[in-house]
Amino acid sequence: MAIYVVMEPPLGNAAAASERAVLVRDGFSLVAFLVPPFWLLWHRLWIEAILAFAAVLLLTALGEAAGFGVTSALLSLLVSIYVGLEGPALRLAALRRRGWRDWGALEARDRQDAEIRYLWEVDLPERADVSPPFADQPAMPVAAAPARKGPALGLLDYPGRA
């Protein structure tokens, strides 16, 4: 299952916002890894595309000038890895800069499933008579965590020390 971040366009009615919403899969993007500048241009990330292209040229030229040979190509691979890993986050940041709103995140098998879940959630106020699954079952009580005294370091706890 993948996580999809839903971004809604700035201002407008709810029906238009749900139709124009953008779902961005959070995770590694193979196409962004293979062709970083073109992927960035496709998603209208102009400044990021220029920076990625300049970084690839600079790293390749630097490697050739220093006489690294094959290592210069490996240096430009760093840009591809960065865009493959952080491409979706760059896209979300660009949408936020343009005024788009975060609606939330969805967990789904694929994009179509994520769209169906998003549209179901958006139309939820209109379906007030529909009860959520397991609504008739009582909630399980949550046990209160015991109060602890003293410092804790990361995941380690030192019980009995003050």
Side-chain angles (χ1 to χ4, degrees):
M1 297 270 255
I3 302 293
Y4 290 86
V5 178
V6 181
M7 300 292 289
E8 289 184 336
L11 303 174
N13 60 5
S18 65
E19 300 235 352
R20 292 186 50 220
V22 174
L23 279 76
V24 179
R25 184 178 181 273
D26 189 26
F28 183 78
S29 174
L30 182 62
V31 178
F33 169 73
L34 295 175
V35 285
F38 297 115
W39 185 88
L40 292 167
L41 289 172
W42 178 263
H43 291 290
R44 304 183 70 169
L45 302 171
W46 313 118
I47 296 171
E48 291 88 345
I50 291 169
L51 290 174
F53 189 69
V56 167
L57 285 178
L58 180 71
L59 289 172
T60 304
L62 184 66
E64 290 294 325
F68 291 144
V70 178
T71 309
S72 65
L74 294 176
L75 287 174
S76 64
L77 183 66
L78 292 174
V79 176
S80 296
I81 292 171
Y82 177 76
V83 175
L85 290 172
E86 293 296 324
L90 292 171
R91 187 174 174 204
L92 289 171
L95 288 171
R96 287 183 189 110
R97 283 193 309 266
R98 294 180 189 135
W100 288 60
R101 300 180 315 269
D102 281 302
W103 179 84
L106 299 169
E107 184 177 7
R109 276 182 260 134
D110 56 10
R111 186 178 180 81
Q112 288 83 16
D113 190 25
E115 288 177 1
I116 290 169
R117 289 179 186 220
Y118 166 67
L119 292 174
W120 175 266
E121 291 289 330
V122 168
D123 293 338
L124 195 59
E126 298 171 4
R127 293 175 286 143
D129 59 335
V130 177
S131 62
F134 308 111
D136 56 344
Q137 296 179 355
M140 298 295 293
V142 178
R148 300 198 177 185
K149 296 179 183 176
L153 177 64
L155 298 175
L156 304 173
D157 190 14
Y158 301 101
R161 287 192 171 177

